[in-house]
């Protein structure tokens, strides 16, 4: 009952007009307070937003400033990169190559100034009959080659090359007085010309003084199989098909004055050599014709001359095979060539270089060599070089010789090998009393020569590769020949005082490098 009365009393109070008015006032005030609070909060948020906007604007201005600085730095870097690129492309176009050999040979019997130790030391060497070179060289010879190549935006290429060479037999460090320093090459090539098409699309034009690009040699004999060189111009790689191409060139060479004296430029007799060098697969077919106006006025200086004038024309031909195996028998390489020359073309190795040949000269030459690895430690490189020549300088003369050579390499470690070389040469020479300024009168001789060499060799690697360099080697060579060969000339090596048949030893040390 008490609880019910209390409830009724409260209900009456709440329903009274006074209380209702008071409650309404309180509610309005509360809403006003809440609204005021919300306004304050909104104002705070607005101020915060304004502050953030100002901060954002400052950051934007800062970023814009940094962007400007970055763009400036980027431009600077691009300019520097462009400058460096130009500088890099300029330096990258240069190449340096070279060949050098230098050695000391010790043998008391070879001290005569007439003695010329080397691959051409035998009487047959006068007409290109070389023997093995290992342990048989006592000179310093070098070639320094500087090239500049570039490729243009249109795809065309250029190449400039200059080569300097020198040969010395003096062991001194200063040899300027006896130097043979000479510029042997100076030429320019233009390749991949965009205006060329068809068979000329991939051709290379050249002009200047040079060795022909496609010369090749037998390294162990230090003898070129074919050596075409001089001053002139030509075009390489005229492609008739994927497997057939041709090179065409015109070289000039100088023979000197008609009387054999030192000539002026106007008196100099020129020999012009026109060559077509053709390739079909591994086969090479080379044909050259030459003409030397007024060279027929040159006398062949000899005591028994029957043909008193040198030739004024000639031709030369070669057929060669460039194999990618050791004669088809095993892995390796091989090259074989047969050469023929007539008249001024009778110098079949150095094409067009001998102005003393007669118009009737005839020369045949055969050359072959190969390389192969016999097993993991032994490598083998045999070669044969032979030549027969008649009516060369005097009517009825003959120069016949053949050289057999073999080099073996036995690998001991990756940096040390033992090299062995053997050479045998037989010659039958009948100069008919022909006389030269440096060898005097030449006499008829025949006989054989042999040389054996042992050469411990050091390399940095690739020890069994016949064509990897540099090499450092010590050597011992023994050579001997038929006594009658000493009579060929009193001025050549075999005729030198103290250097005659009966056996000779050479000991020495040598370096050889190319790159």
């Amino acid at each position: 009952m008490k609880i019910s009365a209390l409830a009724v009393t409260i209900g009456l109070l709440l329903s009274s007009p006074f209380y209702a008015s008071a409650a309404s006032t309180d509610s309005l005030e509360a809403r006003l307070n809440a609204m005021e609070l919300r306004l304050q909060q909104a104002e705070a948020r607005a101020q915060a937003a304004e502050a953030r906007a100002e901060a954002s604007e400052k950051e934007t201005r800062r970023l814009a400033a940094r962007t400007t600085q970055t763009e400036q730095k980027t431009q600077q870097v691009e300019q520097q990169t462009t400058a460096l690129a130009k500088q890099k492309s300029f330096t990258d176009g240069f190449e340096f190559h070279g060949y050098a050999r230098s050695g000391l040979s010790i043998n008391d019997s070879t001290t005569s100034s007439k003695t010329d130790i080397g691959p051409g030391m035998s009487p047959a060497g006068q007409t290109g009959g070389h023997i093995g070179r290992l342990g048989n060289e006592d000179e310093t010879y070098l070639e320094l080659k500087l090239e500049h190549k570039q490729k243009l935006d249109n795809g065309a290429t250029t190449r400039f090359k200059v080569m300097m060479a020198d040969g010395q037999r003096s062991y001194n460090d200063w040899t300027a007085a006896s130097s043979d320093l000479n510029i042997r090459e100076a030429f320019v090539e233009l390749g991949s010309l965009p205006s060329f098409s068809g068979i000329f699309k991939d051709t290379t034009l050249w002009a200047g003084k040079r060795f022909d690009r496609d010369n090749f040699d037998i390294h162990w004999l230090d003898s070129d199989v074919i050596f075409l060189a001089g001053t002139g111009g030509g075009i390489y790689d005229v492609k008739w098909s994927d497997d057939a191409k041709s090179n065409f060139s015109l070289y000039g060479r100088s023979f000197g004055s008609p009387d054999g004296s030192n000539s002026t430029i106007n008196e100099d007799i020129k020999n012009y050599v026109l060559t077509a060098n053709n390739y079909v697969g591994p086969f090479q077919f080379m044909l050259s014709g030459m003409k030397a106006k007024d060279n027929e006025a040159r006398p062949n200086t000899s005591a028994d001359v029957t043909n008193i004038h040198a030739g004024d024309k000639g031709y030369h031909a070669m057929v060669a095979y460039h194999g990618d195996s050791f004669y088809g028998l095993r892995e390796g390489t091989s090259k074989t060539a047969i050469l023929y020359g007539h008249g001024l073309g009778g110098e079949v190795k150095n094409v067009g270089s001998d102005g003393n040949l007669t118009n009737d000269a005839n020369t045949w030459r055969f050359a072959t060599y190969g390389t192969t690895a016999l097993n993991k430690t032994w490598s083998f490189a045999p070669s044969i070089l032979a030549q027969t020549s008649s009516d060369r300088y005097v009517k009825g003369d003959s120069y016949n010789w053949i050289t057999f050579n073999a080099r073996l390499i036995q690998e001991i470690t990756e940096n040390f090998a033992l090299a062995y070389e053997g050479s045998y040469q037989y010659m039958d020479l009948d100069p008919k009393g022909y006389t030269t300024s440096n060898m005097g009168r030449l006499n008829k001789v025949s006989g054989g020569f042999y040389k054996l060499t042992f050469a411990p060799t050091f390399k940095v690697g690739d020890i069994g590769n016949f064509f990897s360099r540099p090499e450092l080697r010590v050597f011992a060579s023994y050579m001997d020949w038929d006594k009658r060969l000493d009579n060929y000339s009193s001025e050549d090596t075999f005729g030198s005082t103290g250097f005659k048949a009966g056996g000779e030893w050479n000991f020495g040390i040598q370096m050889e490098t190319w790159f």
Side-chain angles (χ1 to χ4, degrees):
M1 292 294 294
K2 291 182 179 179
I3 295 174
S4 300
L6 180 59
V8 170
T9 302
I10 293 172
L12 291 173
L13 289 173
L14 291 174
S15 60
S16 64
F18 175 79
Y19 186 83
S21 175
S24 177
T25 300
D26 291 342
S27 176
L28 179 59
E29 184 176 357
R31 286 197 295 274
L32 290 173
N33 289 337
M35 184 179 296
E36 182 177 357
L37 179 61
R38 288 195 294 274
L39 288 173
Q40 291 175 352
Q41 292 173 344
E43 183 177 0
R45 287 195 295 273
Q47 290 175 349
E50 184 177 358
R52 287 196 297 273
E54 290 179 356
S56 178
E57 185 177 355
K58 291 180 180 179
E59 182 66 16
T60 300
R61 289 195 298 268
R62 187 181 67 81
L63 291 174
R66 288 186 59 185
T67 300
T68 301
Q69 294 176 353
T70 300
E71 290 176 350
Q72 292 174 347
K73 290 181 179 180
T74 300
Q75 292 176 353
Q76 293 176 353
V77 170
E78 288 176 349
Q79 292 173 353
Q80 293 174 353
T81 300
T82 301
L84 288 173
K86 291 181 179 179
Q87 181 179 0
K88 183 178 180 181
S89 64
F90 176 78
T91 56
D92 278 357
F94 282 99
E95 295 181 11
F96 177 63
H97 303 281
Y99 170 81
R101 64 176 180 265
S102 182
L104 171 71
S105 179
I106 303 172
N107 188 326
D108 290 340
S109 66
T110 64
T111 57
S112 171
S113 61
K114 298 178 182 178
T115 304
D116 185 10
I117 296 296
M121 65 182 290
S122 78
Q126 178 207 356
T127 53
H130 282 199
I131 58 175
R133 69 190 298 179
L134 186 65
N136 192 35
E137 295 171 319
D138 65 343
E139 91 283 35
T140 295
Y141 175 77
L142 61 88
E143 297 174 349
L144 303 177
K145 308 170 186 179
L146 183 64
E147 298 186 33
H148 181 259
K149 298 178 181 178
Q150 59 180 341
K151 185 173 183 179
L152 282 66
D153 293 338
N154 63 1
T157 62
T158 70
R159 178 189 180 211
F160 168 69
K161 179 180 177 181
V162 60
M163 183 181 78
M164 295 178 291
D166 188 24
Q168 284 285 344
R169 289 196 174 276
S170 172
Y171 290 155
N172 294 335
D173 63 321
W174 187 262
T175 55
S178 58
S179 174
D180 289 327
L181 184 64
N182 176 50
I183 296 178
R184 298 194 71 184
E185 292 189 277
F187 65 87
V188 167
E189 290 181 346
L190 305 179
S192 302
L193 299 179
S195 61
F196 282 20
S197 60
I199 61 174
F200 299 102
K201 181 179 179 181
D202 298 317
T203 57
T204 297
L205 302 176
W206 68 268
K209 180 181 181 180
R210 72 174 300 166
F211 299 170
D212 193 74
R213 185 192 66 183
D214 295 337
N215 294 335
F216 63 101
D217 66 354
I218 301 178
H219 176 72
W220 347 114
L221 301 180
D222 193 21
S223 175
D224 292 281
V225 175
I226 187 71
F227 184 74
L228 178 62
T231 303
I235 182 170
Y236 288 127
D237 302 326
V238 178
K239 290 187 177 179
W240 311 107
S241 68
D242 290 341
D243 295 325
K245 65 178 182 178
S246 296
N247 306 330
F248 302 98
S249 63
L250 175 63
Y251 283 94
R253 297 190 65 93
S254 298
F255 286 162
S257 65
D259 62 2
S261 63
N262 293 329
S263 64
T264 66
I265 294 176
N266 293 329
E267 295 173 334
D268 192 22
I269 295 175
K270 303 294 195 303
N271 185 24
Y272 298 100
V273 183
L274 182 63
T275 298
N277 211 345
N278 309 289
Y279 294 82
V280 180
F283 292 95
Q284 179 182 358
F285 305 92
M286 181 178 178
L287 182 63
S288 300
M290 58 204 73
K291 178 68 175 177
K293 184 180 179 181
D294 297 330
N295 194 53
E296 69 277 7
R298 177 194 302 275
N300 274 325
T301 305
S302 172
D304 300 312
V305 172
T306 55
N307 181 357
I308 62 173
H309 296 299
D312 64 347
K313 58 185 177 296
Y315 58 86
H316 174 283
M318 180 184 73
V319 177
Y321 178 79
H322 303 270
D324 57 2
S325 67
F326 185 72
Y327 300 105
L329 302 175
R330 55 190 299 123
E331 291 186 356
T333 63
S334 62
K335 292 181 183 290
T336 301
I338 298 176
L339 304 93
Y340 172 74
H342 180 76
L344 289 180
E347 173 46 61
V348 291
K349 179 178 74 169
N350 297 330
V351 183
S353 64
D354 191 342
N356 291 315
L357 295 164
T358 72
N359 272 334
D360 297 322
N362 286 289
T363 303
W364 286 91
R365 186 180 180 95
F366 173 77
T368 187
Y369 79 89
T371 65
T372 187
L374 299 177
N375 51 43
K376 292 183 179 180
T377 58
W378 286 89
S379 298
F380 179 50
S383 61
I384 301 174
L385 189 63
Q387 183 169 299
T388 178
S389 185
S390 62
D391 298 328
R392 188 175 180 90
Y393 303 114
V394 178
K395 188 173 181 62
D397 68 11
S398 62
Y399 299 83
N400 306 307
W401 50 261
I402 184 169
T403 300
F404 299 94
N405 175 263
R407 186 178 293 193
L408 284 161
I409 295 178
Q410 180 187 8
E411 180 177 344
I412 305 301
T413 72
E414 64 177 335
N415 302 119
F416 179 67
L418 299 177
Y420 310 85
E421 184 177 89
S423 277
Y424 175 78
Q425 182 182 76
Y426 181 80
M427 66 203 79
D428 184 359
L429 312 175
D430 186 3
K432 295 296 184 184
Y434 181 61
T435 302
T436 68
S437 59
N438 62 333
M439 295 180 66
R441 179 186 172 92
L442 306 180
N443 302 306
K444 181 179 179 179
V445 295
S446 63
F449 166 92
Y450 71 88
K451 179 183 74 72
L452 300 172
T453 299
F454 172 65
T457 302
F458 298 88
K459 289 186 179 182
V460 293
D462 202 10
I463 192 72
N465 186 344
F466 283 103
F467 299 105
S468 68
R469 296 294 184 272
E471 283 187 357
L472 301 180
R473 54 179 82 107
V474 294
F475 61 82
S477 290
Y478 180 78
M479 62 186 73
D480 198 5
W481 56 93
D482 289 338
K483 182 177 178 60
R484 56 184 179 271
L485 296 179
D486 291 338
N487 298 320
Y488 183 67
S489 168
S490 61
E491 302 294 325
D492 73 343
T493 300
F494 283 12
S496 299
T497 302
F499 194 79
K500 296 183 180 296
E504 293 288 344
W505 279 97
N506 279 343
F507 303 93
I509 184 170
Q510 186 187 40
M511 75 81 178
E512 186 177 40
T513 187
W514 60 67
F515 55 92

